Amino acid sequence: MNTEKRVRVLVGKPGLDGHDRGAQVIAYGLRDMGFEVVYTGLRQKPEDIARAAVEEDVDVVGLSILSGSHLAMTRKVIEKLAEMKASDIMVLVGGVIPEEDIAKLKEIGVAGVFTAGTPVAEIAEFIRSHVRNQGPDSQSVA
């Protein structure tokens, strides 16, 4: 029996961007690679994404942003996660992200940035290498 906890990923589309093909490709691809995936759908408020992440007990929030609002939307999601005492949830950003904004996103707390066209396998490997899987028998006691 496999007691290893599957990594849970929430894929969110903050703001008014109405294109979600890329987010769906990532969500389905990660699911097919063994991740548990929650997709929140289009036009979500940052606070709704953060709330869903906490309620769903995810390990990772992946934001898909094509609208150019990546800095503002990501900052708001990270702030909302902090307000909810969930700063331990890793945040990733993908989409149309100018090269000069990647460092800014990392400065505000983004663990990884994946521009349009990044293979799903590369994202999956990044997540696996940064999130520690813990089964019920491997929890530490303080």
Side-chain angles (χ1 to χ4, degrees):
M1 181 165 113
N2 184 1
T3 60
E4 187 173 288
K5 176 183 173 259
R6 289 187 358 170
V7 176
R8 294 179 53 84
V9 180
L10 180 138
V11 176
K13 290 286 299 177
L16 299 176
D17 179 9
H19 301 280
D20 68 343
R21 172 91 31 111
Q24 289 181 11
V25 167
I26 298 302
Y28 290 131
L30 291 175
R31 181 203 61 196
D32 292 347
M33 293 181 174
F35 294 86
E36 287 188 38
V37 179
V38 176
Y39 176 54
T40 61
L42 290 168
R43 299 181 183 94
Q44 298 296 304
K45 295 178 185 175
E47 54 267 28
D48 294 335
I49 292 171
R51 186 178 312 107
V54 171
E55 289 173 358
E56 293 287 346
D57 192 28
V58 300
D59 303 294
V60 180
V61 169
L63 301 175
S64 172
I65 306 172
L66 305 175
S67 64
S69 62
H70 47 275
L71 291 171
M73 288 293 160
T74 302
R75 183 176 287 111
K76 287 179 185 177
V77 169
I78 290 172
E79 288 170 358
K80 294 298 178 185
L81 287 170
E83 288 173 17
M84 296 176 182
K85 308 281 191 263
S87 295
D88 59 321
I89 297 174
M90 183 170 69
V91 176
L92 306 177
V93 175
V96 179
I97 311 296
E99 187 71 33
E100 61 269 16
D101 288 347
I102 293 174
K104 294 174 189 174
L105 286 165
K106 290 184 176 182
E107 285 173 17
I108 62 172
V110 173
V113 179
F114 302 92
T115 56
T118 301
V120 177
E122 184 177 323
I123 298 167
E125 180 54 36
F126 182 90
I127 293 170
R128 285 188 181 112
S129 69
H130 287 81
V131 175
R132 194 168 113 198
N133 294 329
Q134 291 188 337
D137 298 329
S138 62
Q139 295 177 358
S140 62
V141 177

